[in-house]
Amino acid sequence: MSVESILLVATPAAWVDAAVEGWRELLVDHANCEKKAASTALALIFAYPEDTQLGLSLSRLAREELRHFEQVQGAMTELGVPFTRQKPGRYAAGLRSVMRTSEPGRKLDLLLTGALIEARSCERFRLLAVRLQPPLGRFYARLAESEARHFELYVGLARERGAQEWEARLRALAGKEAELATSQDGELRFHSGPPAP
Amino acid sequence: MSVESILLVATPAAWVDAAVEGWRELLVDHANCEKKAASTALALIFAYPEDTQLGLSLSRLAREELRHFEQVQGAMTELGVPFTRQKPGRYAAGLRSVMRTSEPGRKLDLLLTGALIEARSCERFRLLAVRLQPPLGRFYARLAESEARHFELYVGLARERGAQEWEARLRALAGKEAELATSQDGELRFHSGPPAP
């Protein structure tokens, strides 16, 4: 399963243009995304301590996300982008609104949402990598590879734990993800929709 | 500043004896402690995103704690210790009860408490390293060294951010920590007091 095949729609060109223009704002959000990715993995480890395979895989993933966070902070310093507080985007809350909150559905939905977020990150890093100057372009190309691995990891964990229904649930969650990533959005964020024209 | 000088009292021999006897139960708690240490560091990074030096240091620390978590899970598998759900100990809640909840005191107290927890961990790993058989004894000896570095990191961050009052606050928090680590406790945990005789 490829990153492209899991996402129901491609990122609109208008988002890419806005992101290239607003790369500084996006870099601040990106630092936050890496922290959130680590924190989400850690929350899964805490929620399912008896699932030791999940614990091991997601602990390694969280370490990689933290290393990326350190690299983004380094890039911000290097490129003279100061930290600023940003309003949260709508993406995470939007995805949460369609996730099941009781088990065993909750666990599967958390893993599948993890896969979707990593897939969208990978797609957008690839799009930005070819549009941004080095060092940021090169950095984003490397990150795209990591996100592709993380996407595969989450899909693999979900598949092993929800053999009956994972594909149907993935399609349902991907529908919401596609809507959030492509419909007009008030904030420019790494996972936002395109801005108003 | 040494680990010994920050802790107001040494761990009682009765705790060490109980921990050597109950090493399996302790190993399960230990896996949880490593996760919690990573999660606490991450919470600090989220709470103070403008403090980039803190973010970088604690992100590295969190990665090291996660690696330890993976190693403890590996040791559990190797030694045939299954995961079991445990009642939480009183230590974390006890420390929280004396920490300040409004800024700027909150930040300093979080860092100093981090230092105290790492110092106690280091002291106890050293005590257990010489009493337990390999591979656990050797593993705990290595962990004692890491915890000593983490202790120094937290003290350094606190000192730089609370030049006026850090020593007075450290003594106050260390008083509560000493009470929790040495008074009779209903549960055997890595940071518990000794069991009833």
Side-chain angles (χ1 to χ4, degrees), chain A residues 85-108:
Chain A
R85 293 218 174 234
Q86 294 179 329
K87 264 180 68 176
R90 68 184 184 185
Y91 188 73
L95 289 174
R96 261 198 307 276
S97 73
V98 291
M99 289 161 68
R100 290 170 295 179
T101 53
S102 54
E103 300 298 352
R106 178 175 176 268
K107 186 177 184 181
L108 187 64

mmCIF file with all atom_site columns, all heavy atoms in Angstrom, chain A residues 85-108:
data_model
loop_
_atom_site.group_PDB
_atom_site.id
_atom_site.type_symbol
_atom_site.label_atom_id
_atom_site.label_alt_id
_atom_site.label_comp_id
_atom_site.label_asym_id
_atom_site.label_entity_id
_atom_site.label_seq_id
_atom_site.pdbx_PDB_ins_code
_atom_site.Cartn_x
_atom_site.Cartn_y
_atom_site.Cartn_z
_atom_site.occupancy
_atom_site.B_iso_or_equiv
_atom_site.pdbx_formal_charge
_atom_site.auth_seq_id
_atom_site.auth_comp_id
_atom_site.auth_asym_id
_atom_site.auth_atom_id
_atom_site.pdbx_PDB_model_num
ATOM 1   N N   . ARG A 1 85  ? 3.651   31.733 19.214 1.00 0.00 ? 85  ARG A N   1
ATOM 2   C CA  . ARG A 1 85  ? 2.472   30.916 19.557 1.00 0.00 ? 85  ARG A CA  1
ATOM 3   C C   . ARG A 1 85  ? 1.490   30.987 18.393 1.00 0.00 ? 85  ARG A C   1
ATOM 4   O O   . ARG A 1 85  ? 1.227   32.052 17.863 1.00 0.00 ? 85  ARG A O   1
ATOM 5   C CB  . ARG A 1 85  ? 1.802   31.435 20.831 1.00 0.00 ? 85  ARG A CB  1
ATOM 6   C CG  . ARG A 1 85  ? 2.669   31.258 22.060 1.00 0.00 ? 85  ARG A CG  1
ATOM 7   C CD  . ARG A 1 85  ? 1.861   30.863 23.301 1.00 0.00 ? 85  ARG A CD  1
ATOM 8   N NE  . ARG A 1 85  ? 2.792   30.563 24.401 1.00 0.00 ? 85  ARG A NE  1
ATOM 9   C CZ  . ARG A 1 85  ? 2.783   29.434 25.088 1.00 0.00 ? 85  ARG A CZ  1
ATOM 10  N NH1 . ARG A 1 85  ? 1.889   28.503 24.839 1.00 0.00 ? 85  ARG A NH1 1
ATOM 11  N NH2 . ARG A 1 85  ? 3.655   29.231 26.051 1.00 0.00 ? 85  ARG A NH2 1
ATOM 12  N N   . GLN A 1 86  ? 0.942   29.849 17.992 1.00 0.00 ? 86  GLN A N   1
ATOM 13  C CA  . GLN A 1 86  ? -0.014  29.802 16.879 1.00 0.00 ? 86  GLN A CA  1
ATOM 14  C C   . GLN A 1 86  ? -1.338  29.219 17.357 1.00 0.00 ? 86  GLN A C   1
ATOM 15  O O   . GLN A 1 86  ? -1.345  28.326 18.195 1.00 0.00 ? 86  GLN A O   1
ATOM 16  C CB  . GLN A 1 86  ? 0.535   28.907 15.762 1.00 0.00 ? 86  GLN A CB  1
ATOM 17  C CG  . GLN A 1 86  ? 1.780   29.452 15.082 1.00 0.00 ? 86  GLN A CG  1
ATOM 18  C CD  . GLN A 1 86  ? 2.300   28.507 13.991 1.00 0.00 ? 86  GLN A CD  1
ATOM 19  O OE1 . GLN A 1 86  ? 2.143   27.305 14.082 1.00 0.00 ? 86  GLN A OE1 1
ATOM 20  N NE2 . GLN A 1 86  ? 2.917   29.077 12.973 1.00 0.00 ? 86  GLN A NE2 1
ATOM 21  N N   . LYS A 1 87  ? -2.413  29.716 16.778 1.00 0.00 ? 87  LYS A N   1
ATOM 22  C CA  . LYS A 1 87  ? -3.730  29.100 17.017 1.00 0.00 ? 87  LYS A CA  1
ATOM 23  C C   . LYS A 1 87  ? -3.687  27.668 16.496 1.00 0.00 ? 87  LYS A C   1
ATOM 24  O O   . LYS A 1 87  ? -3.166  27.430 15.401 1.00 0.00 ? 87  LYS A O   1
ATOM 25  C CB  . LYS A 1 87  ? -4.805  29.838 16.197 1.00 0.00 ? 87  LYS A CB  1
ATOM 26  C CG  . LYS A 1 87  ? -5.560  30.896 16.952 1.00 0.00 ? 87  LYS A CG  1
ATOM 27  C CD  . LYS A 1 87  ? -6.587  31.563 16.054 1.00 0.00 ? 87  LYS A CD  1
ATOM 28  C CE  . LYS A 1 87  ? -7.755  30.660 15.639 1.00 0.00 ? 87  LYS A CE  1
ATOM 29  N NZ  . LYS A 1 87  ? -8.770  31.409 14.848 1.00 0.00 ? 87  LYS A NZ  1
ATOM 30  N N   . PRO A 1 88  ? -4.240  26.704 17.232 1.00 0.00 ? 88  PRO A N   1
ATOM 31  C CA  . PRO A 1 88  ? -4.228  25.333 16.701 1.00 0.00 ? 88  PRO A CA  1
ATOM 32  C C   . PRO A 1 88  ? -5.059  25.241 15.426 1.00 0.00 ? 88  PRO A C   1
ATOM 33  O O   . PRO A 1 88  ? -6.046  25.958 15.262 1.00 0.00 ? 88  PRO A O   1
ATOM 34  C CB  . PRO A 1 88  ? -4.850  24.498 17.818 1.00 0.00 ? 88  PRO A CB  1
ATOM 35  C CG  . PRO A 1 88  ? -5.317  25.426 18.868 1.00 0.00 ? 88  PRO A CG  1
ATOM 36  C CD  . PRO A 1 88  ? -4.891  26.809 18.540 1.00 0.00 ? 88  PRO A CD  1
ATOM 37  N N   . GLY A 1 89  ? -4.637  24.392 14.513 1.00 0.00 ? 89  GLY A N   1
ATOM 38  C CA  . GLY A 1 89  ? -5.403  24.141 13.299 1.00 0.00 ? 89  GLY A CA  1
ATOM 39  C C   . GLY A 1 89  ? -6.613  23.265 13.609 1.00 0.00 ? 89  GLY A C   1
ATOM 40  O O   . GLY A 1 89  ? -6.799  22.806 14.735 1.00 0.00 ? 89  GLY A O   1
ATOM 41  N N   . ARG A 1 90  ? -7.406  22.992 12.569 1.00 0.00 ? 90  ARG A N   1
ATOM 42  C CA  . ARG A 1 90  ? -8.654  22.223 12.768 1.00 0.00 ? 90  ARG A CA  1
ATOM 43  C C   . ARG A 1 90  ? -8.464  20.724 12.530 1.00 0.00 ? 90  ARG A C   1
ATOM 44  O O   . ARG A 1 90  ? -9.362  19.914 12.784 1.00 0.00 ? 90  ARG A O   1
ATOM 45  C CB  . ARG A 1 90  ? -9.713  22.740 11.790 1.00 0.00 ? 90  ARG A CB  1
ATOM 46  C CG  . ARG A 1 90  ? -9.357  22.406 10.357 1.00 0.00 ? 90  ARG A CG  1
ATOM 47  C CD  . ARG A 1 90  ? -10.305 22.977 9.329  1.00 0.00 ? 90  ARG A CD  1
ATOM 48  N NE  . ARG A 1 90  ? -9.896  22.501 8.008  1.00 0.00 ? 90  ARG A NE  1
ATOM 49  C CZ  . ARG A 1 90  ? -10.443 22.889 6.872  1.00 0.00 ? 90  ARG A CZ  1
ATOM 50  N NH1 . ARG A 1 90  ? -11.404 23.793 6.882  1.00 0.00 ? 90  ARG A NH1 1
ATOM 51  N NH2 . ARG A 1 90  ? -10.013 22.392 5.719  1.00 0.00 ? 90  ARG A NH2 1
ATOM 52  N N   . TYR A 1 91  ? -7.291  20.323 11.999 1.00 0.00 ? 91  TYR A N   1
ATOM 53  C CA  . TYR A 1 91  ? -7.076  18.959 11.483 1.00 0.00 ? 91  TYR A CA  1
ATOM 54  C C   . TYR A 1 91  ? -7.238  17.879 12.570 1.00 0.00 ? 91  TYR A C   1
ATOM 55  O O   . TYR A 1 91  ? -8.025  16.937 12.398 1.00 0.00 ? 91  TYR A O   1
ATOM 56  C CB  . TYR A 1 91  ? -5.684  18.906 10.865 1.00 0.00 ? 91  TYR A CB  1
ATOM 57  C CG  . TYR A 1 91  ? -5.300  17.659 10.110 1.00 0.00 ? 91  TYR A CG  1
ATOM 58  C CD1 . TYR A 1 91  ? -5.833  17.384 8.858  1.00 0.00 ? 91  TYR A CD1 1
ATOM 59  C CD2 . TYR A 1 91  ? -4.345  16.781 10.623 1.00 0.00 ? 91  TYR A CD2 1
ATOM 60  C CE1 . TYR A 1 91  ? -5.441  16.263 8.139  1.00 0.00 ? 91  TYR A CE1 1
ATOM 61  C CE2 . TYR A 1 91  ? -3.948  15.658 9.909  1.00 0.00 ? 91  TYR A CE2 1
ATOM 62  C CZ  . TYR A 1 91  ? -4.494  15.399 8.667  1.00 0.00 ? 91  TYR A CZ  1
ATOM 63  O OH  . TYR A 1 91  ? -4.085  14.289 7.964  1.00 0.00 ? 91  TYR A OH  1
ATOM 64  N N   . ALA A 1 92  ? -6.486  18.024 13.676 1.00 0.00 ? 92  ALA A N   1
ATOM 65  C CA  . ALA A 1 92  ? -6.508  16.979 14.708 1.00 0.00 ? 92  ALA A CA  1
ATOM 66  C C   . ALA A 1 92  ? -7.904  16.845 15.310 1.00 0.00 ? 92  ALA A C   1
ATOM 67  O O   . ALA A 1 92  ? -8.431  15.732 15.450 1.00 0.00 ? 92  ALA A O   1
ATOM 68  C CB  . ALA A 1 92  ? -5.481  17.287 15.801 1.00 0.00 ? 92  ALA A CB  1
ATOM 69  N N   . ALA A 1 93  ? -8.517  17.970 15.641 1.00 0.00 ? 93  ALA A N   1
ATOM 70  C CA  . ALA A 1 93  ? -9.864  17.922 16.226 1.00 0.00 ? 93  ALA A CA  1
ATOM 71  C C   . ALA A 1 93  ? -10.863 17.357 15.218 1.00 0.00 ? 93  ALA A C   1
ATOM 72  O O   . ALA A 1 93  ? -11.777 16.606 15.581 1.00 0.00 ? 93  ALA A O   1
ATOM 73  C CB  . ALA A 1 93  ? -10.285 19.314 16.676 1.00 0.00 ? 93  ALA A CB  1
ATOM 74  N N   . GLY A 1 94  ? -10.674 17.702 13.945 1.00 0.00 ? 94  GLY A N   1
ATOM 75  C CA  . GLY A 1 94  ? -11.568 17.198 12.901 1.00 0.00 ? 94  GLY A CA  1
ATOM 76  C C   . GLY A 1 94  ? -11.478 15.683 12.776 1.00 0.00 ? 94  GLY A C   1
ATOM 77  O O   . GLY A 1 94  ? -12.494 14.991 12.665 1.00 0.00 ? 94  GLY A O   1
ATOM 78  N N   . LEU A 1 95  ? -10.264 15.157 12.821 1.00 0.00 ? 95  LEU A N   1
ATOM 79  C CA  . LEU A 1 95  ? -10.090 13.701 12.751 1.00 0.00 ? 95  LEU A CA  1
ATOM 80  C C   . LEU A 1 95  ? -10.684 13.035 13.997 1.00 0.00 ? 95  LEU A C   1
ATOM 81  O O   . LEU A 1 95  ? -11.354 12.006 13.899 1.00 0.00 ? 95  LEU A O   1
ATOM 82  C CB  . LEU A 1 95  ? -8.603  13.345 12.628 1.00 0.00 ? 95  LEU A CB  1
ATOM 83  C CG  . LEU A 1 95  ? -7.939  13.682 11.282 1.00 0.00 ? 95  LEU A CG  1
ATOM 84  C CD1 . LEU A 1 95  ? -6.442  13.407 11.343 1.00 0.00 ? 95  LEU A CD1 1
ATOM 85  C CD2 . LEU A 1 95  ? -8.569  12.859 10.155 1.00 0.00 ? 95  LEU A CD2 1
ATOM 86  N N   . ARG A 1 96  ? -10.414 13.650 15.151 1.00 0.00 ? 96  ARG A N   1
ATOM 87  C CA  . ARG A 1 96  ? -10.943 13.071 16.403 1.00 0.00 ? 96  ARG A CA  1
ATOM 88  C C   . ARG A 1 96  ? -12.462 12.962 16.374 1.00 0.00 ? 96  ARG A C   1
ATOM 89  O O   . ARG A 1 96  ? -13.037 12.038 16.943 1.00 0.00 ? 96  ARG A O   1
ATOM 90  C CB  . ARG A 1 96  ? -10.506 13.930 17.610 1.00 0.00 ? 96  ARG A CB  1
ATOM 91  C CG  . ARG A 1 96  ? -9.290  13.354 18.353 1.00 0.00 ? 96  ARG A CG  1
ATOM 92  C CD  . ARG A 1 96  ? -9.155  13.956 19.756 1.00 0.00 ? 96  ARG A CD  1
ATOM 93  N NE  . ARG A 1 96  ? -9.145  15.412 19.748 1.00 0.00 ? 96  ARG A NE  1
ATOM 94  C CZ  . ARG A 1 96  ? -8.069  16.161 19.530 1.00 0.00 ? 96  ARG A CZ  1
ATOM 95  N NH1 . ARG A 1 96  ? -6.905  15.604 19.314 1.00 0.00 ? 96  ARG A NH1 1
ATOM 96  N NH2 . ARG A 1 96  ? -8.151  17.484 19.561 1.00 0.00 ? 96  ARG A NH2 1
ATOM 97  N N   . SER A 1 97  ? -13.107 13.906 15.689 1.00 0.00 ? 97  SER A N   1
ATOM 98  C CA  . SER A 1 97  ? -14.582 13.942 15.696 1.00 0.00 ? 97  SER A CA  1
ATOM 99  C C   . SER A 1 97  ? -15.201 12.704 15.041 1.00 0.00 ? 97  SER A C   1
ATOM 100 O O   . SER A 1 97  ? -16.364 12.401 15.273 1.00 0.00 ? 97  SER A O   1
ATOM 101 C CB  . SER A 1 97  ? -15.084 15.214 15.003 1.00 0.00 ? 97  SER A CB  1
ATOM 102 O OG  . SER A 1 97  ? -14.891 15.104 13.599 1.00 0.00 ? 97  SER A OG  1
ATOM 103 N N   . VAL A 1 98  ? -14.438 11.999 14.192 1.00 0.00 ? 98  VAL A N   1
ATOM 104 C CA  . VAL A 1 98  ? -15.006 10.800 13.552 1.00 0.00 ? 98  VAL A CA  1
ATOM 105 C C   . VAL A 1 98  ? -14.407 9.500  14.090 1.00 0.00 ? 98  VAL A C   1
ATOM 106 O O   . VAL A 1 98  ? -14.735 8.410  13.610 1.00 0.00 ? 98  VAL A O   1
ATOM 107 C CB  . VAL A 1 98  ? -14.825 10.848 12.013 1.00 0.00 ? 98  VAL A CB  1
ATOM 108 C CG1 . VAL A 1 98  ? -15.705 11.926 11.410 1.00 0.00 ? 98  VAL A CG1 1
ATOM 109 C CG2 . VAL A 1 98  ? -13.366 11.064 11.629 1.00 0.00 ? 98  VAL A CG2 1
ATOM 110 N N   . MET A 1 99  ? -13.524 9.607  15.095 1.00 0.00 ? 99  MET A N   1
ATOM 111 C CA  . MET A 1 99  ? -12.912 8.393  15.658 1.00 0.00 ? 99  MET A CA  1
ATOM 112 C C   . MET A 1 99  ? -13.807 7.806  16.752 1.00 0.00 ? 99  MET A C   1
ATOM 113 O O   . MET A 1 99  ? -14.456 8.535  17.489 1.00 0.00 ? 99  MET A O   1
ATOM 114 C CB  . MET A 1 99  ? -11.528 8.720  16.233 1.00 0.00 ? 99  MET A CB  1
ATOM 115 C CG  . MET A 1 99  ? -10.501 9.006  15.147 1.00 0.00 ? 99  MET A CG  1
ATOM 116 S SD  . MET A 1 99  ? -9.077  9.910  15.785 1.00 0.00 ? 99  MET A SD  1
ATOM 117 C CE  . MET A 1 99  ? -8.340  8.655  16.832 1.00 0.00 ? 99  MET A CE  1
ATOM 118 N N   . ARG A 1 100 ? -13.800 6.477  16.838 1.00 0.00 ? 100 ARG A N   1
ATOM 119 C CA  . ARG A 1 100 ? -14.580 5.814  17.884 1.00 0.00 ? 100 ARG A CA  1
ATOM 120 C C   . ARG A 1 100 ? -13.874 5.958  19.237 1.00 0.00 ? 100 ARG A C   1
ATOM 121 O O   . ARG A 1 100 ? -12.640 5.951  19.296 1.00 0.00 ? 100 ARG A O   1
ATOM 122 C CB  . ARG A 1 100 ? -14.780 4.339  17.537 1.00 0.00 ? 100 ARG A CB  1
ATOM 123 C CG  . ARG A 1 100 ? -15.729 4.168  16.341 1.00 0.00 ? 100 ARG A CG  1
ATOM 124 C CD  . ARG A 1 100 ? -15.738 2.742  15.854 1.00 0.00 ? 100 ARG A CD  1
ATOM 125 N NE  . ARG A 1 100 ? -14.440 2.345  15.312 1.00 0.00 ? 100 ARG A NE  1
ATOM 126 C CZ  . ARG A 1 100 ? -14.167 1.139  14.837 1.00 0.00 ? 100 ARG A CZ  1
ATOM 127 N NH1 . ARG A 1 100 ? -15.103 0.196  14.836 1.00 0.00 ? 100 ARG A NH1 1
ATOM 128 N NH2 . ARG A 1 100 ? -12.975 0.857  14.361 1.00 0.00 ? 100 ARG A NH2 1
ATOM 129 N N   . THR A 1 101 ? -14.670 6.093  20.293 1.00 0.00 ? 101 THR A N   1
ATOM 130 C CA  . THR A 1 101 ? -14.075 6.367  21.605 1.00 0.00 ? 101 THR A CA  1
ATOM 131 C C   . THR A 1 101 ? -14.146 5.158  22.540 1.00 0.00 ? 101 THR A C   1
ATOM 132 O O   . THR A 1 101 ? -13.636 5.207  23.648 1.00 0.00 ? 101 THR A O   1
ATOM 133 C CB  . THR A 1 101 ? -14.772 7.568  22.276 1.00 0.00 ? 101 THR A CB  1
ATOM 134 O OG1 . THR A 1 101 ? -16.182 7.305  22.291 1.00 0.00 ? 101 THR A OG1 1
ATOM 135 C CG2 . THR A 1 101 ? -14.516 8.859  21.510 1.00 0.00 ? 101 THR A CG2 1
ATOM 136 N N   . SER A 1 102 ? -14.795 4.069  22.100 1.00 0.00 ? 102 SER A N   1
ATOM 137 C CA  . SER A 1 102 ? -14.802 2.881  22.964 1.00 0.00 ? 102 SER A CA  1
ATOM 138 C C   . SER A 1 102 ? -14.112 1.712  22.262 1.00 0.00 ? 102 SER A C   1
ATOM 139 O O   . SER A 1 102 ? -14.108 1.618  21.028 1.00 0.00 ? 102 SER A O   1
ATOM 140 C CB  . SER A 1 102 ? -16.223 2.530  23.409 1.00 0.00 ? 102 SER A CB  1
ATOM 141 O OG  . SER A 1 102 ? -17.049 2.399  22.283 1.00 0.00 ? 102 SER A OG  1
ATOM 142 N N   . GLU A 1 103 ? -13.539 0.841  23.097 1.00 0.00 ? 103 GLU A N   1
ATOM 143 C CA  . GLU A 1 103 ? -12.759 -0.283 22.574 1.00 0.00 ? 103 GLU A CA  1
ATOM 144 C C   . GLU A 1 103 ? -13.670 -1.398 22.050 1.00 0.00 ? 103 GLU A C   1
ATOM 145 O O   . GLU A 1 103 ? -14.780 -1.526 22.529 1.00 0.00 ? 103 GLU A O   1
ATOM 146 C CB  . GLU A 1 103 ? -11.843 -0.840 23.681 1.00 0.00 ? 103 GLU A CB  1
ATOM 147 C CG  . GLU A 1 103 ? -10.856 0.161  24.226 1.00 0.00 ? 103 GLU A CG  1
ATOM 148 C CD  . GLU A 1 103 ? -9.855  0.683  23.203 1.00 0.00 ? 103 GLU A CD  1
ATOM 149 O OE1 . GLU A 1 103 ? -9.808  0.178  22.077 1.00 0.00 ? 103 GLU A OE1 1
ATOM 150 O OE2 . GLU A 1 103 ? -9.141  1.633  23.549 1.00 0.00 ? 103 GLU A OE2 1
ATOM 151 N N   . PRO A 1 104 ? -13.205 -2.233 21.119 1.00 0.00 ? 104 PRO A N   1
ATOM 152 C CA  . PRO A 1 104 ? -11.869 -2.215 20.531 1.00 0.00 ? 104 PRO A CA  1
ATOM 153 C C   . PRO A 1 104 ? -11.715 -1.241 19.358 1.00 0.00 ? 104 PRO A C   1
ATOM 154 O O   . PRO A 1 104 ? -10.622 -1.097 18.832 1.00 0.00 ? 104 PRO A O   1
ATOM 155 C CB  . PRO A 1 104 ? -11.696 -3.661 20.049 1.00 0.00 ? 104 PRO A CB  1
ATOM 156 C CG  . PRO A 1 104 ? -13.076 -4.081 19.677 1.00 0.00 ? 104 PRO A CG  1
ATOM 157 C CD  . PRO A 1 104 ? -14.016 -3.366 20.618 1.00 0.00 ? 104 PRO A CD  1
ATOM 158 N N   . GLY A 1 105 ? -12.803 -0.571 18.988 1.00 0.00 ? 105 GLY A N   1
ATOM 159 C CA  . GLY A 1 105 ? -12.737 0.326  17.836 1.00 0.00 ? 105 GLY A CA  1
ATOM 160 C C   . GLY A 1 105 ? -11.770 1.472  18.026 1.00 0.00 ? 105 GLY A C   1
ATOM 161 O O   . GLY A 1 105 ? -11.107 1.915  17.082 1.00 0.00 ? 105 GLY A O   1
ATOM 162 N N   . ARG A 1 106 ? -11.654 1.947  19.257 1.00 0.00 ? 106 ARG A N   1
ATOM 163 C CA  . ARG A 1 106 ? -10.803 3.107  19.534 1.00 0.00 ? 106 ARG A CA  1
ATOM 164 C C   . ARG A 1 106 ? -9.349  2.853  19.125 1.00 0.00 ? 106 ARG A C   1
ATOM 165 O O   . ARG A 1 106 ? -8.710  3.696  18.488 1.00 0.00 ? 106 ARG A O   1
ATOM 166 C CB  . ARG A 1 106 ? -10.878 3.448  21.027 1.00 0.00 ? 106 ARG A CB  1
ATOM 167 C CG  . ARG A 1 106 ? -10.006 4.612  21.438 1.00 0.00 ? 106 ARG A CG  1
ATOM 168 C CD  . ARG A 1 106 ? -10.236 4.975  22.903 1.00 0.00 ? 106 ARG A CD  1
ATOM 169 N NE  . ARG A 1 106 ? -9.338  6.032  23.321 1.00 0.00 ? 106 ARG A NE  1
ATOM 170 C CZ  . ARG A 1 106 ? -8.140  5.841  23.886 1.00 0.00 ? 106 ARG A CZ  1
ATOM 171 N NH1 . ARG A 1 106 ? -7.718  4.608  24.120 1.00 0.00 ? 106 ARG A NH1 1
ATOM 172 N NH2 . ARG A 1 106 ? -7.371  6.849  24.201 1.00 0.00 ? 106 ARG A NH2 1
ATOM 173 N N   . LYS A 1 107 ? -8.853  1.686  19.516 1.00 0.00 ? 107 LYS A N   1
ATOM 174 C CA  . LYS A 1 107 ? -7.447  1.362  19.226 1.00 0.00 ? 107 LYS A CA  1
ATOM 175 C C   . LYS A 1 107 ? -7.204  1.331  17.714 1.00 0.00 ? 107 LYS A C   1
ATOM 176 O O   . LYS A 1 107 ? -6.238  1.924  17.220 1.00 0.00 ? 107 LYS A O   1
ATOM 177 C CB  . LYS A 1 107 ? -7.098  0.005  19.849 1.00 0.00 ? 107 LYS A CB  1
ATOM 178 C CG  . LYS A 1 107 ? -5.633  -0.376 19.728 1.00 0.00 ? 107 LYS A CG  1
ATOM 179 C CD  . LYS A 1 107 ? -5.380  -1.708 20.432 1.00 0.00 ? 107 LYS A CD  1
ATOM 180 C CE  . LYS A 1 107 ? -3.912  -2.086 20.415 1.00 0.00 ? 107 LYS A CE  1
ATOM 181 N NZ  . LYS A 1 107 ? -3.682  -3.396 21.077 1.00 0.00 ? 107 LYS A NZ  1
ATOM 182 N N   . LEU A 1 108 ? -8.103  0.663  16.986 1.00 0.00 ? 108 LEU A N   1
ATOM 183 C CA  . LEU A 1 108 ? -7.929  0.581  15.532 1.00 0.00 ? 108 LEU A CA  1
ATOM 184 C C   . LEU A 1 108 ? -7.983  1.969  14.907 1.00 0.00 ? 108 LEU A C   1
ATOM 185 O O   . LEU A 1 108 ? -7.161  2.314  14.041 1.00 0.00 ? 108 LEU A O   1
ATOM 186 C CB  . LEU A 1 108 ? -9.012  -0.329 14.929 1.00 0.00 ? 108 LEU A CB  1
ATOM 187 C CG  . LEU A 1 108 ? -8.836  -0.620 13.435 1.00 0.00 ? 108 LEU A CG  1
ATOM 188 C CD1 . LEU A 1 108 ? -7.556  -1.400 13.165 1.00 0.00 ? 108 LEU A CD1 1
ATOM 189 C CD2 . LEU A 1 108 ? -10.042 -1.375 12.876 1.00 0.00 ? 108 LEU A CD2 1
#
